[in-house]
Amino acid sequence: MATTPQLWSELQATFHKDLPLTSQLHTLLLQERSALESRDYDNIKALLATKNSLVNSLKQQANTRMHALQAAGLQDEASTLKAAEQEAPIVAKAWRQLAQQWDECQHLNAVNERILQRTRLVVTQTLDLLRGANQQNRLYDPKGMANNNSSGRSITSA
């Protein structure tokens, strides 16, 4: 394994940038959850724009890290982390801290996604009721989206 002080320095620099970005993303995901729960759609739009910007910045940092690891001839994160624990404990600590934050962000994002899916289901069911759509004839397309092929009468035309 071709680890050098320069590699550890580069990794530390990316972690130093990622930790506050990931912390901001964590806070933003909590705000997004609150906005989803209260159906504050204007706020959700603003949060999504910020979220996309943060995620893009984090992707750039991940690419920088990947290039640094590849330039050093490293492909396996687990063995690189093990080497960091021995050669650069501060880098390993930041790496683990960042990984923990990412896990928390992934969990929060999954919760928000479930809220969105549930909201979408409720809205779809409500619209189907207003349109007089028959739930019995519901089919799904290849993407898993519901198609309603019924020709039920709309509540407004009843």
Side-chain angles (χ1 to χ4, degrees):
M1 194 175 323
T3 58
T4 64
Q6 180 183 355
L7 172 65
W8 301 132
S9 178
E10 288 178 38
L11 290 176
Q12 180 65 26
T14 64
F15 295 148
H16 183 71
K17 290 178 183 176
D18 276 359
L19 286 167
L21 291 174
T22 306
S23 180
Q24 289 174 16
L25 180 61
H26 185 274
T27 301
L28 187 113
L29 289 167
L30 291 172
Q31 292 170 351
E32 182 182 60
R33 180 178 181 172
S34 177
L36 287 167
E37 289 172 341
S38 65
R39 293 182 172 88
D40 183 358
Y41 299 116
D42 290 334
N43 192 22
I44 291 170
K45 284 182 181 180
L47 292 171
L48 285 176
T50 305
K51 181 175 156 181
N52 285 335
S53 175
L54 286 171
V55 168
N56 287 333
S57 294
L58 289 166
K59 282 181 183 179
Q60 288 174 347
Q61 289 298 108
N63 286 336
T64 300
R65 257 190 312 282
M66 183 59 70
H67 290 302
L69 291 174
Q70 288 174 347
L74 304 168
Q75 301 294 327
D76 179 23
E77 277 192 31
S79 61
T80 306
L81 178 57
K82 189 173 183 176
E85 289 172 342
Q86 295 173 358
E87 298 175 26
I90 293 173
V91 173
K93 181 180 177 183
W95 197 334
R96 289 193 186 283
Q97 183 181 5
L98 190 57
Q100 180 183 359
Q101 285 184 357
W102 284 336
D103 287 343
E104 291 172 12
C105 286
Q106 285 178 332
H107 172 74
L108 290 172
N109 197 52
V111 168
N112 290 352
E113 186 176 337
R114 285 192 301 273
I115 292 170
L116 277 169
Q117 289 172 345
R118 182 67 183 155
T119 300
R120 184 178 188 177
L121 177 66
V122 169
V123 168
T124 300
Q125 289 173 343
T126 303
L127 289 173
D128 285 350
L129 285 172
L130 291 172
R131 291 181 190 130
N134 184 349
Q135 293 293 319
Q136 304 281 333
N137 295 331
R138 183 164 297 261
L139 301 174
Y140 294 90
D141 66 14
K143 294 181 182 178
M145 303 302 295
N147 285 335
N148 196 344
N149 292 333
S150 70
S151 57
R153 289 178 37 183
S154 168
I155 197 167
T156 59
S157 66

